[in-house]
Amino acid sequence: MRALVVGGAGFIGSHLCENLLKQGHKVACMDNFSLGTRMNVELLHDFPDFVLYEGDAANRESMRKIVREFTPEYIFHLAANSDIQASAANPDIEYRNTYSTTFEILSAMREYGVKRLFFASTSAVYGDKREVELDENTPDLAPVSYYGAAKLGSEALIHAFSYMNDMQALIFRFPNVIGPHLTHGVVFDFMKRLEQEPDHLRILGDGKQTKPYIYVTDLVDAILRFMETEKAGITLYNVGVEGDTCVTRIADIVCEEMGLHGVRYEYTGGEGGWKGDVPRFRYCLDRIHGAGWRARYSSDEAVRKTVQEVWKSRRQ
Amino acid sequence: MRALVVGGAGFIGSHLCENLLKQGHKVACMDNFSLGTRMNVELLHDFPDFVLYEGDAANRESMRKIVREFTPEYIFHLAANSDIQASAANPDIEYRNTYSTTFEILSAMREYGVKRLFFASTSAVYGDKREVELDENTPDLAPVSYYGAAKLGSEALIHAFSYMNDMQALIFRFPNVIGPHLTHGVVFDFMKRLEQEPDHLRILGDGKQTKPYIYVTDLVDAILRFMETEKAGITLYNVGVEGDTCVTRIADIVCEEMGLHGVRYEYTGGEGGWKGDVPRFRYCLDRIHGAGWRARYSSDEAVRKTVQEVWKSRRQ
């Protein structure tokens, strides 16, 4: 199959490109290299069926040119802002990089008759509903971040474009995703800060923010497992893992794996890391478990494995 | 209060401007006159507290300039595409006129500290859920039109901007709205066509499409009634009327009120008027009724009154 991975040089996209290639698909990676890097896809050039396009999905001409040239049968849309703290200060980032990319991808699919889409959505579409176990039918979605709003708006676009143009779409609402190629988030930040100053660690909030962390290869496994859905219209899954991990526990794991002892934790206080952050959420995973898929790594294991892999690659 | 009505020269906006002025508010109307008309607001210039701005809400400079100059305390956002058949052929219309207007209004509010918003949403955010009575907690919102998608995306933006910037917002999900100044929709179309050819009437679909129609003054009454909500964050209501009216019944009422007899109805067949049209929906109105508000006119009465008023004004 001819697969176009938009945002394919990013953290998750680069893992997806690799695995699609290993499954024998022809893969085009499109990236504007604002967050993605050439290094993430460097090794993929060994595959003869890999092609790399530099282009911005939010740019109509650029997006359409690549769809016209590559003629994909399936588009994997992983192009989005992933630095949620940055967009909290400047919502334009989400408007352009998260919402407009979706609109232009769908618009190009409509123009050139591409019928299949994977979309990376997020737990942030639910908003702050810490009191309930979130399932795919949870009502009153009320995002508290511009990121969550742009993703929910994107889901709405996918519904309409799918209905109007007979497209099939698989939507995964991701939890926190971690693993090699990570560029943001608490695990990444802790490692970076402890590398510079190994005696103390500044922790945003009270350290009790508790979320499920999925290892990136588990997530990619789920994408590959469900991408050939036969269902017309939209297929939606919460994708998650067993358990969750609080921020202080992450700090402990990072210190352990980096061989640091007696690190002083300095909490900034308050319950959220920053405004727009949802400090706790839990997924109900009945739908995806019922479809026969489970993550290999628990949340704690995902954190530990990430630190091990990233730490190993940094010392190489 | 200083109220800015964006889309204030349109069908609903012009009625709202008039009633805000009658209540003693200072009112600025902003419109790009793409669908709104100067005629709709002509009589409002008699109010000394009325000011008219020509400007496009989707244009950042234009939007910010007007907010800066007028310094509104409350923004009523009624700027959107209202010609849903047009956007079915060209989704860019919704991206620009329905979604981007919302983003730029919220962005200007954030920039200049405006804290109160009214937003005109729609039954189209639910998608085609004809089997259920739609209430504000109905899950799985899945718009089938680009219009519904852009409105749902706008609601998502309002949630995030409200949370991040401590804004209050009142969101009404409108049903079909009719009355004087109407420029689109089945009642308007039937009158226009019968004026030209009074012996027959082409009816899209099977004529059994059945929706609630609210009279515009009832809707404006509800806006005025709830605009001073004290609740922080978002207040959301389905706004509707008693009963609903099928398309053939609308044709009957239009013929009766225009004094036409023996008009031949020609159905194009199929259940929906056009792709993306939701042929039937019903609202649960418990929330707004529980808050002490009811529409004065039933759906059938709203249709009849609209034909009477529009027909009267056309013969003047």
Side-chain angles (χ1 to χ4, degrees):
Chain A
M1 194 183 61
R2 303 179 65 78
L4 171 61
V5 182
V6 187
F11 162 42
I12 302 166
S14 56
H15 289 280
L16 179 62
C17 285
E18 182 182 347
N19 283 278
L20 287 168
L21 286 163
K22 284 180 176 164
Q23 289 212 336
H25 299 295
K26 295 185 195 307
V27 174
C29 164
M30 174 180 181
D31 212 291
N32 66 356
F33 299 109
S34 67
L35 295 165
T37 65
R38 291 182 191 277
M39 214 208 303
N40 281 347
V41 291
E42 205 171 44
L43 297 174
L44 304 184
H45 291 286
D46 295 343
F47 292 89
D49 282 334
F50 179 70
V51 52
L52 181 63
Y53 291 100
E54 179 163 0
D56 189 330
N59 180 295
R60 174 160 297 187
E61 288 320 306
S62 183
M63 189 67 228
R64 294 197 174 185
K65 182 168 179 290
I66 289 167
V67 170
R68 211 161 46 228
E69 278 182 29
F70 182 69
T71 61
E73 294 152 277
Y74 207 125
I75 296 184
F76 296 82
H77 172 20
L78 293 102
N81 174 53
S82 59
D83 188 349
I84 302 176
Q85 283 179 270
S87 67
N90 179 10
D92 289 356
I93 295 174
E94 299 299 346
Y95 176 79
R96 189 180 193 293
N97 297 353
T98 304
Y99 187 83
S100 298
T101 51
T102 307
F103 187 84
E104 290 306 334
I105 288 169
L106 289 165
S107 187
M109 290 176 70
R110 176 177 182 269
E111 181 78 15
Y112 295 109
V114 184
K115 295 297 184 191
R116 310 188 75 183
L117 178 74
F118 170 80
F119 178 63
S121 190
T122 166
S123 61
V125 299
Y126 293 102
D128 190 347
K129 295 193 183 304
R130 64 188 85 174
E131 70 287 355
V132 296
E133 201 180 58
L134 302 167
D135 69 36
E136 295 84 350
N137 298 312
T138 296
D140 295 321
L141 305 192
V144 294
S145 63
Y146 305 120
Y147 174 73
K151 286 287 190 184
L152 183 54
S154 293
E155 287 193 13
L157 286 175
I158 293 167
H159 278 285
F161 274 86
S162 163
Y163 178 83
M164 291 295 287
N165 307 283
D166 305 309
M167 297 170 183
Q168 266 188 323
L170 175 63
I171 300 177
F172 277 4
R173 290 182 180 156
F174 294 179
N176 286 39
V177 187
I178 54 178
H181 302 182
L182 191 65
T183 58
H184 295 98
V186 60
V187 179
F188 180 82
D189 288 347
F190 283 1
M191 295 188 70
K192 212 171 62 177
R193 278 191 242 143
L194 285 167
E195 232 182 338
Q196 288 159 4
E197 300 180 280
D199 62 330
H200 71 283
L201 181 64
R202 188 172 150 271
I203 298 180
L204 291 180
D206 59 8
K208 293 177 183 158
Q209 307 97 296
T210 303
K211 302 176 192 180
Y213 291 82
I214 192 172
Y215 197 66
V216 65
T217 56
D218 267 338
L219 183 71
V220 168
D221 178 62
I223 298 174
L224 298 174
R225 169 72 171 273
F226 291 103
M227 61 183 267
E228 295 291 351
T229 169
E230 290 308 310
K231 200 184 136 199
I234 308 295
T235 302
L236 172 70
Y237 287 110
N238 284 350
V239 182
V241 298
E242 301 296 332
D244 46 30
T245 311
C246 78
V247 166
T248 297
R249 174 90 186 116
I250 292 173
D252 291 346
I253 295 172
V254 171
C255 290
E256 279 169 41
E257 292 300 325
M258 290 174 73
L260 302 171
H261 301 281
V263 176
R264 196 173 67 250
Y265 296 166
E266 296 163 357
Y267 296 97
T268 61
E271 64 173 13
W274 61 90
K275 189 153 187 174
D277 183 36
V278 176
R280 280 188 295 286
F281 72 90
R282 282 173 301 131
Y283 266 171
C284 166
L285 296 171
D286 289 353
R287 185 181 287 184
I288 199 159
H289 286 172
W293 182 88
R294 274 175 192 273
R296 182 169 165 194
Y297 302 106
S298 72
S299 181
D300 277 11
E301 286 167 355
V303 173
R304 188 173 298 279
K305 197 168 160 61
T306 297
V307 184
Q308 287 168 348
E309 292 292 327
V310 175
W311 191 230
K312 193 170 70 187
S313 73
R314 285 188 165 231
R315 283 172 305 174
Q316 274 168 358
Chain B
M1 195 182 60
R2 302 178 65 78
L4 171 61
V5 182
V6 187
F11 161 44
I12 302 166
S14 57
H15 288 279
L16 179 61
C17 285
E18 183 183 345
N19 283 278
L20 286 168
L21 287 163
K22 284 180 176 165
Q23 289 211 337
H25 299 294
K26 295 186 196 306
V27 174
C29 163
M30 173 179 182
D31 212 291
N32 66 355
F33 299 107
S34 66
L35 294 164
T37 66
R38 290 182 192 277
M39 215 209 302
N40 281 346
V41 291
E42 205 172 43
L43 297 175
L44 303 185
H45 290 287
D46 294 345
F47 291 89
D49 282 334
F50 179 70
V51 51
L52 181 63
Y53 290 101
E54 179 162 359
D56 189 330
N59 179 294
R60 173 159 297 187
E61 287 322 306
S62 183
M63 189 66 229
R64 294 194 175 188
K65 181 168 180 289
I66 289 167
V67 170
R68 209 161 46 229
E69 278 183 28
F70 182 70
T71 60
E73 293 153 277
Y74 207 125
I75 296 185
F76 295 82
H77 171 21
L78 294 102
N81 174 54
S82 58
D83 188 349
I84 301 175
Q85 284 178 270
S87 68
N90 180 11
D92 289 355
I93 294 172
E94 298 300 346
Y95 176 80
R96 188 180 193 294
N97 297 353
T98 304
Y99 187 83
S100 298
T101 51
T102 306
F103 186 84
E104 290 305 335
I105 287 169
L106 288 165
S107 187
M109 288 175 69
R110 176 177 182 269
E111 182 76 17
Y112 295 108
V114 185
K115 295 296 185 192
R116 309 187 74 183
L117 177 73
F118 169 82
F119 178 63
S121 190
T122 165
S123 61
V125 299
Y126 292 103
D128 189 348
K129 295 197 183 302
R130 63 188 85 174
E131 69 288 354
V132 296
E133 201 180 57
L134 303 166
D135 66 39
E136 294 84 350
N137 298 312
T138 296
D140 294 321
L141 305 193
V144 295
S145 63
Y146 304 120
Y147 173 75
K151 285 288 191 184
L152 182 53
S154 293
E155 286 193 14
L157 286 175
I158 292 166
H159 278 286
F161 274 85
S162 162
Y163 177 82
M164 292 294 289
N165 307 283
D166 304 311
M167 298 171 183
Q168 266 188 322
L170 174 64
I171 300 178
F172 278 3
R173 290 182 179 155
F174 293 0
N176 286 40
V177 187
I178 55 177
H181 302 181
L182 191 65
T183 59
H184 294 98
V186 60
V187 178
F188 180 82
D189 289 346
F190 282 0
M191 294 188 72
K192 211 171 64 175
R193 279 190 241 142
L194 285 167
E195 233 182 337
Q196 287 160 5
E197 299 181 280
D199 62 331
H200 71 283
L201 180 65
R202 187 170 151 272
I203 297 179
L204 290 180
D206 59 8
K208 292 177 183 158
Q209 308 95 296
T210 303
K211 301 176 193 179
Y213 292 83
I214 193 171
Y215 197 66
V216 65
T217 55
D218 268 337
L219 183 71
V220 168
D221 178 62
I223 298 174
L224 298 174
R225 171 70 172 271
F226 291 103
M227 60 183 268
E228 295 291 350
T229 169
E230 291 307 309
K231 199 183 135 198
I234 308 295
T235 302
L236 172 70
Y237 287 110
N238 284 349
V239 182
V241 298
E242 302 294 333
D244 46 29
T245 312
C246 78
V247 167
T248 297
R249 175 90 187 116
I250 293 173
D252 291 345
I253 295 172
V254 172
C255 290
E256 279 169 42
E257 292 300 326
M258 289 174 73
L260 301 172
H261 301 282
V263 175
R264 197 173 67 251
Y265 294 167
E266 295 164 357
Y267 296 97
T268 62
E271 63 172 14
W274 61 90
K275 190 155 185 174
D277 183 38
V278 175
R280 279 188 294 287
F281 73 90
R282 280 173 301 131
Y283 266 170
C284 166
L285 297 172
D286 289 354
R287 185 180 288 183
I288 199 159
H289 286 172
W293 182 88
R294 275 176 191 272
R296 181 169 165 195
Y297 301 107
S298 72
S299 181
D300 277 12
E301 286 167 354
V303 172
R304 188 173 298 279
K305 195 167 162 60
T306 297
V307 184
Q308 287 167 350
E309 293 292 326
V310 175
W311 190 231
K312 194 170 71 187
S313 73
R314 285 188 166 232
R315 282 174 303 174
Q316 274 167 356

